[in-house]
Amino acid sequence: MIVARDGRSIPEIFRQDGEEKFRQVEAEVLEALRMKTGNVIATGGGLPCREGRMETLKSLGTVVWLDGDFRELHERASRAGDRPMLQGRSPAEVEVLYRQRTAFYRQAHLTIDTTGLGVDEVVNRVLRALRA
């Protein structure tokens, strides 16, 4: 939704206008999501980490935090392509950022430990937790 709204990729927004502009567009998109129902919303790691945003997400539906071993999470994120918040940061610096964000993530309705799991296994655990 951010890319559709702004007309640029997320890395382009970061490179051209910086993180603050990206976070502004992100907030606008989050507000627009209030008009949608029945969707799975996959956010970036920083979206819930601003005041009031986790509450907004929780008002939209069930929030699931896909937690896990930091090294494994970092490896996955690094493979996923051009991630602006990883650019120019060592794994140790990214881990500090991740640890700072966990206070927000812990507010999710559900936490699923994804350590050692494939995508299908994670989906199955999420579905089982939602049915419980």
Side-chain angles (χ1 to χ4, degrees):
M1 287 182 69
I2 291 171
V3 172
R5 183 181 206 95
D6 192 82
R8 297 177 288 171
S9 71
I10 291 169
E12 286 175 312
I13 297 168
F14 267 82
R15 276 193 298 275
Q16 293 171 6
D17 295 331
E19 183 181 357
E20 258 330 290
K21 173 62 176 176
F22 172 77
R23 299 297 175 198
Q24 177 187 345
V25 174
E26 186 180 64
E28 293 166 6
V29 168
L30 182 57
E31 284 303 312
L33 286 170
R34 289 181 186 271
M35 295 179 277
K36 295 186 162 281
T37 60
N39 294 288
V40 173
I41 302 166
T43 73
L47 186 137
C49 301
R50 300 259 171 141
E51 214 47 53
R53 290 192 180 178
M54 183 57 92
E55 291 78 13
T56 300
L57 285 170
K58 289 170 77 172
S59 75
L60 298 173
T62 303
V63 176
V64 179
W65 172 26
L66 301 178
D67 192 13
D69 173 72
F70 172 77
R71 289 178 300 264
E72 192 173 311
L73 296 172
H74 185 264
E75 164 81 19
R76 283 186 210 150
S78 297
R79 282 194 318 257
D82 196 1
R83 304 290 296 253
M85 294 304 289
L86 298 181
Q87 299 298 322
R89 287 189 165 104
S90 70
E93 291 170 313
V94 174
E95 185 170 11
V96 167
L97 178 62
Y98 179 74
R99 300 293 173 218
Q100 291 169 343
R101 291 176 170 185
T102 59
F104 291 96
Y105 299 159
R106 281 190 190 110
Q107 297 173 43
H109 294 106
L110 298 171
T111 299
I112 305 293
D113 185 346
T114 65
T115 304
L117 301 179
V119 173
D120 290 341
E121 294 167 299
V122 171
V123 169
N124 285 331
R125 286 199 182 179
V126 170
L127 292 173
R128 276 195 307 271
L130 291 173
R131 286 187 207 121

